[in-house]
Every structure is written in C-alpha cells, then in structure tokens.
Amino acid sequence: MTLAYEERGSGPALLMIHGFPFDRRQWFPQVAGLADIRTCVAVDLRGHGLSLDEEPRDYSMDQFADDVAATLQDMGVDQADVAGLSMGGYVAFALWRRHRARVRSLILSDTKAEADSDEARAGRDAAAKAILDEGMAKFHTGLGPKLLGDEPPPEAVERIEQMFVDTEPAVAAAVAIAMRDRPDATADLGTIDVPTLWLHGEQDKIMPIDAARTSAEAIAGARFVAIPKAGHVPTLENADAVNAAMREFLTA
Ligand code: MLT
C-alpha cells in the first residue's frame, strides 16, 4: 500500500515515521522547520491519518516498512534520511532489515530495540481489548499523561490528544498486537552502517533514557542527543531542540 503524506521543501528526502497512536502531525514542527534543507515527507502509516484502511487487521512492523518503501518508490525517491519516533523507530528498524538500500541515514527518537517482555505482551492484549471496549478518548486518559514530560507545552498536549481520538479504535487495537509481536531488533543495531542520530527526551517515562543510550552505543558512530524539557514525544514537546539536533546532523 502507498501511504498518504505531508510534503514540504526541496532537496534530498527526509522521511518521517510517527509513533503510536499518532499520525503525520506528530512531525509537523520538523516538516516546517527543516524544509529549507530537505524535502520533508511525514507519512501516515496504514490505517492512520489519511492512509485509510477499510479492514484493519493483522498489521506488522514489516508490513508498515514495506508500505514506506513502496511510497518512496512511488515518489521516485531512491534513498532517504529516515526518522522514526517510538513505534516509528520499530518501523525504521524493519525498513533497515528489509530495504536498507533505501536508507541514507537514520534518526531514531524515543524508541527501543528490545522486543516486548512477557509482561509487556500481556499489557498489549489488555490495551487492545480496552481500546475496542472503551474507545480512544478513555485510552488517552490513561496513557496520554504518561507520554509527556513535566511541563509540556499546551499545543503538544492538545495535538497528542487529537491524534489519539482521531485514530480508529480497530486500527489502534491491531497496531497494539503488531507491536506485541514485533521482532527483537537488538542484533540489528550492530549492522547499521549509515550515519545515525538517536534523540531521546530526558523525561521519557515510557522508555527511560539510560537504556536508550546503551542501545545507541551499539550502533557504530551513532550520535546521541538528550532532549531537555521533553518526555516521550520530543518532536512536539521541544521542537526547537529536536530541529536543531536534526539540522546539525543532516548538514554535517
Ligand atoms: C509509541 O509511542 O509509538 C509507543 O509508545 C510504542 C510502544 O508502545 O511500544
């Protein structure tokens, strides 16, 4: 499937993949802020945003990565700088495994390489059930605040809530199961031989920064940048710091 996307700017492509349960809007400050150095492309993964899917089921990170590769091909883009936040990072790892010739460089944000533990897998089942039974607004009430840092800007709070409630429950439930079943990417870290930047919110409660630092160290030459005043979604919580780090990396 080819994906809907937001595009702005000119020059080499910078392809941005959102987390869960978000859509392309999670990257809007970067689309706006980096358009002078890149053709910024923020995709909506299958079922999200404008990439409508009538029958959401049996998703996988591999399938999402194949959709991203098909979209690049459709755009006539051979290679892109690829950025992925959280679940977008899982998709970026899958893209690396399956379509690495398309990846010029990697920008990972608030993600992790490890597969889910048994406890986390059980949590995914419970989340999928709760989403289907109670809807996205209720799901947001529980998870939304945990995603944010200590003093999130109001526009970040608002956009995150909007993306939650705009996601179809059937899609979110299928994606929770797809994340449950994603493969461990730890062994992939050592195979990454393109320039890599790892950004991480200093106040990320979902994926603590120390573990992320250790994963980044397993990627040869990776640059690690801690983003202050941000939790799990630094692209919205501290867009200026994210844009500055990405700009420095992309122009280096
Ligand atoms: C995300 O932001 O994409 C999720 O926190 C990822 C996850 O639940 O593993």
Side-chain angles (χ1 to χ4, degrees):
M1 173 173 175
T2 56
L3 303 171
Y5 54 86
E6 190 83 18
E7 180 182 356
R8 196 188 297 189
S10 56
L14 165 61
L15 190 287
M16 295 175 253
I17 311 168
H18 60 81
F20 169 83
F22 306 145
D23 58 46
R24 69 194 187 292
R25 288 173 287 179
Q26 179 242 289
W27 287 104
F28 270 8
Q30 289 67 48
V31 170
L34 298 169
D36 59 322
I37 55 165
R38 285 294 184 274
T39 301
C40 295
V41 179
V43 293
D44 280 332
L45 291 173
R46 184 184 287 237
H48 301 77
L50 301 173
S51 294
L52 301 180
D53 185 1
E54 306 278 301
E55 259 190 282
R57 57 176 176 181
D58 294 341
Y59 288 156
S60 72
M61 297 302 120
D62 284 356
Q63 179 194 48
F64 286 165
D66 290 352
D67 291 344
V68 169
T71 305
L72 286 172
Q73 175 151 350
D74 201 54
M75 296 174 75
V77 172
D78 292 335
Q79 263 206 328
D81 302 298
V82 174
L85 182 139
S86 196
M87 178 181 72
Y90 309 157
V91 178
F93 288 136
L95 193 70
W96 176 254
R97 280 193 295 274
R98 296 165 73 82
H99 305 280
R100 70 183 59 176
R102 297 242 175 236
V103 181
R104 185 174 39 236
S105 73
L106 273 176
I107 298 170
L108 302 165
S109 179
D110 300 77
T111 192
K112 63 179 175 195
E114 298 79 21
D116 277 6
S117 62
D118 288 345
E119 190 188 345
R121 286 171 60 83
R124 300 287 191 194
D125 292 335
K129 184 172 183 324
I131 287 166
L132 292 174
D133 288 351
E134 298 164 6
M136 291 306 286
K138 185 80 193 300
F139 187 53
H140 172 263
T141 308
L143 179 59
K146 295 186 194 139
L147 296 178
L148 295 159
D150 301 338
E151 287 176 63
E155 53 290 2
V157 179
E158 215 171 283
R159 182 164 295 171
I160 286 171
E161 178 169 6
Q162 196 61 52
M163 291 189 293
F164 264 80
V165 298
D166 286 348
T167 304
E168 282 295 327
V171 168
V175 174
I177 298 305
M179 290 194 291
R180 179 194 72 185
D181 294 340
R182 76 186 186 281
D184 192 286
T186 312
D188 298 319
L189 299 176
T191 71
I192 296 175
D193 58 0
V194 293
T196 300
L197 171 67
W198 193 308
L199 306 170
H200 217 90
E202 280 182 350
Q203 300 162 357
D204 190 336
K205 305 179 194 83
I206 304 270
M207 299 184 186
I209 191 165
D210 290 341
R213 218 184 279 275
T214 304
S215 292
E217 280 166 11
I219 304 174
R223 189 180 301 185
F224 189 91
V225 177
I227 304 295
K229 298 187 188 153
H232 189 60
V233 196
T235 56
L236 296 175
E237 294 178 80
N238 192 347
D240 288 348
V242 168
N243 287 5
M246 287 177 69
R247 176 177 293 275
E248 196 193 337
F249 172 75
L250 292 167
T251 54

